[in-house]
Amino acid sequence: AQSVTQPDIHITVSEGASLELRCNYSYGATPYLFWYVQSPGQGLQLLLKYFSGDTLVQGIKGFEAEFKRSQSSFNLRKPSVHWSDAAEYFCAVGENTGNQFYFGTGTSLTVIP
Amino acid sequence: DSGVTQTPKHLITATGQRVTLRCSPRSGDLSVYWYQQSLDQGLQFLIQYYNGEERAKGNILERFSAQQFPDLHSELNLSSLELGDSALYFCASSVEYSGNTIYFGEGSWLTVV
């Protein structure tokens, strides 16, 4: 069955430090992969997506993610975190032949000055 | 702004009551998804409609129902409300019914007292 795992429930980083949020998926075919961010009391905003092609994708707000098929991973990275990046981050897998989206349980990011 | 509009933003109601949440998808999007987000259950897929027809059903309770109208807006009806139904209900939309990015509204906060 398809699934998405975000192993880290909560991460704390210092402002200016680098960030990597992990995402592993289980899907039979090549998946469509997404990262969304949710600020408190807000909806989910799309950060970036991977459908095909270059496995390193750039998103908004300085985020990037790399698709590694061999590891079934789609980790999100940012070289220098800003205090405004504090939020909940969700990884998602979309079916390329069906209509389902599978979300991870989210990683809560705290940024300390 | 994702272009997905949800109303109301906040709603407080008593147990046993019925409420209707409304969603207007992005212009041109034919598919609408409903999700429930609670602290203990995370982001749960409820149901999807595409061009007026139900396409996928997730963890939606029998007390809940939804529909998509000819103008493509959608409503989620929640009846016989229980305290545990208190959650943030998201609507999302996409162009097609599969293999596409979904865009989320800001959600409707439902509090059942």
Side-chain angles (χ1 to χ4, degrees):
Chain A
Q2 293 83 349
S3 66
V4 180
T5 302
Q6 293 181 247
D8 304 306
I9 296 174
H10 188 217
I11 284 183
T12 300
V13 299
S14 298
E15 190 169 17
S18 63
L19 172 70
E20 182 169 29
L21 303 183
R22 296 182 292 165
C23 173
N24 293 96
Y25 66 89
S26 173
Y27 185 68
T30 301
Y32 293 164
L33 297 161
F34 306 83
W35 276 98
Y36 288 85
V37 60
Q38 183 182 24
S39 298
Q42 301 295 314
L44 278 73
Q45 181 184 21
L46 178 69
L47 279 177
L48 48 78
K49 60 187 177 184
Y50 171 78
F51 280 14
S52 65
D54 193 347
T55 57
L56 183 64
V57 294
Q58 302 296 320
I60 62 171
K61 305 184 180 185
F63 285 93
E64 67 177 26
E66 186 172 12
F67 169 55
K68 292 186 177 180
R69 185 189 305 274
S70 61
Q71 299 177 17
S72 297
S73 69
F74 189 56
N75 294 348
L76 181 71
R77 301 194 294 253
K78 186 170 184 178
S80 178
V81 171
H82 187 261
W83 64 265
S84 61
D85 293 324
E88 187 88 15
Y89 290 81
F90 292 92
C91 180
V93 171
E95 293 182 335
N96 52 25
T97 56
N99 52 8
Q100 292 276 14
F101 272 77
Y102 304 90
F103 282 87
T105 52
T107 297
S108 176
L109 174 66
T110 297
V111 180
I112 56 177
Chain B
D1 182 5
S2 67
V4 179
T5 303
Q6 290 187 247
T7 57
K9 293 193 186 305
H10 300 274
L11 190 58
I12 301 175
T13 191
T15 55
Q17 295 298 305
R18 171 189 170 97
V19 299
T20 297
L21 309 179
R22 182 188 168 100
C23 169
S24 294
R26 295 187 320 152
S27 177
D29 284 0
L30 300 178
S31 189
V32 170
Y33 305 74
W34 286 98
Y35 285 83
Q36 178 194 58
Q37 186 179 40
S38 59
L39 286 176
D40 56 345
Q41 294 290 325
L43 195 61
Q44 297 284 318
F45 168 67
L46 296 179
I47 198 164
Q48 181 207 7
Y49 280 82
Y50 175 74
N51 205 18
E53 294 186 7
E54 182 184 306
R55 281 288 184 167
K57 187 176 281 191
N59 301 320
I60 188 167
L61 300 173
E62 286 191 8
R63 300 184 285 107
F64 296 179
S65 65
Q67 56 184 324
Q68 186 180 27
F69 295 86
D71 67 352
L72 301 178
H73 90 272
S74 177
E75 293 181 355
L76 179 66
N77 300 297
L78 315 174
S79 61
S80 302
L81 286 167
E82 302 175 358
L83 296 178
D85 297 326
S86 295
L88 184 55
Y89 291 86
F90 284 113
C91 172
S93 73
S94 66
V95 174
E96 294 289 342
Y97 68 86
S98 70
N100 281 269
T101 304
I102 61 173
Y103 295 90
F104 283 80
E106 295 196 349
S108 293
W109 280 99
L110 172 65
T111 302
V112 183
V113 298

